[in-house]
Amino acid sequence: MERSEESTREVPDAEAVTIQEIRRQLRELETTVDDPGERRAVRRALRLVEEFPEGDDIRKLTRRDVAESFVGTILVSLPLLVEDGVFEIAAFLRSDPRLLALDVAFLFGMTVGLLYVADFREITVTRPLFGVVPRRLLSVLLVSFLTAAFTMTLWGRLGGWSDPAVALSRIAVVWTVGAFGAALGDILPGESSAPDINDELDDLGERLGIGDDEGLF
């Protein structure tokens, strides 16, 4: 009975090692196969293995994550959309380009800290754009910026786009706060069960007959 209990305790570690080994072997196999059909099959298998849950680890970026970022941006930035204090802050940032640059740097640093440094969730960077840019970071920043620009334009808070400097400085104020909400809205619910965005785009490309053998992304 003692041997049986010991072997049972060793199973989780063995499974973890097996999954890592499968990933490594599939990546090696993907680089060696020549047939396009076989390469696509290996790539699909690798996607499935990479989506295996590992505790609270977040690996995928899905459409649901993008929607959660949008909702988080709206909830956090909504109070600023009706406050005239945005105009005063924007005018202050506009008075010195270095202040605006510092605000944007703070925005990027805060977003990176929330996603990859603060211990809310364990996030693994997978399939980065151009092999460098984390997709989740880009998604949070882009969604929060577009949401801030859209809502402020829709509600007439920019005074038109006749003066782009005024408009962008006001958007920057709301963007700074909105990115905070976007990051939290994305990561706090945990990993979505929906397919990865890259997989959906690759599947769409295959159905449309576009893209190369390596996939769209």
Side-chain angles (χ1 to χ4, degrees), residues 118-194:
D119 195 21
F120 290 110
R121 297 284 184 181
E122 185 67 28
I123 298 178
T124 300
V125 178
T126 59
R127 304 162 76 172
L129 296 178
F130 311 110
V132 177
V133 182
R135 297 179 302 158
R136 190 172 304 277
L137 174 62
L138 181 61
S139 171
V140 166
L141 292 175
L142 189 60
V143 168
S144 56
F145 175 81
L146 293 178
T147 302
F150 173 75
T151 52
M152 294 194 73
T153 301
L154 181 66
W155 286 12
R157 303 297 287 172
L158 299 181
W161 283 87
S162 56
D163 191 340
V166 172
L168 290 175
S169 62
R170 293 178 180 179
I171 290 174
V173 176
V174 179
W175 183 26
T176 303
V177 178
F180 178 84
L184 292 181
D186 180 3
I187 64 177
L188 286 184
E191 182 168 82
S192 169
S193 60

Side-chain angles (χ1 to χ4, degrees), residues 94-116:
R94 202 166 57 250
S95 65
D96 188 341
R98 291 174 296 181
L99 293 175
L100 184 58
L102 183 61
D103 179 73
V104 174
F106 168 73
L107 160 67
F108 274 70
M110 176 189 66
T111 306
V112 170
L114 284 173
L115 292 177
Y116 304 109

Side-chain angles (χ1 to χ4, degrees), residues 70-114:
F70 171 75
V71 173
T73 301
I74 292 292
L75 291 177
V76 174
S77 65
L78 190 61
L80 286 181
L81 296 177
V82 297
E83 287 291 337
D84 291 340
V86 172
F87 302 153
E88 298 177 5
I89 299 174
F92 175 73
L93 295 178
R94 202 166 57 250
S95 65
D96 188 341
R98 291 174 296 181
L99 293 175
L100 184 58
L102 183 61
D103 179 73
V104 174
F106 168 73
L107 160 67
F108 274 70
M110 176 189 66
T111 306
V112 170
L114 284 173

Side-chain angles (χ1 to χ4, degrees), residues 16-32:
V17 173
T18 300
I19 292 176
Q20 295 175 0
E21 182 65 18
I22 290 175
R23 287 174 181 162
R24 185 187 65 79
Q25 292 182 2
L26 285 174
R27 292 191 184 100
E28 292 179 355
L29 182 60
E30 185 181 12
T31 61
T32 58

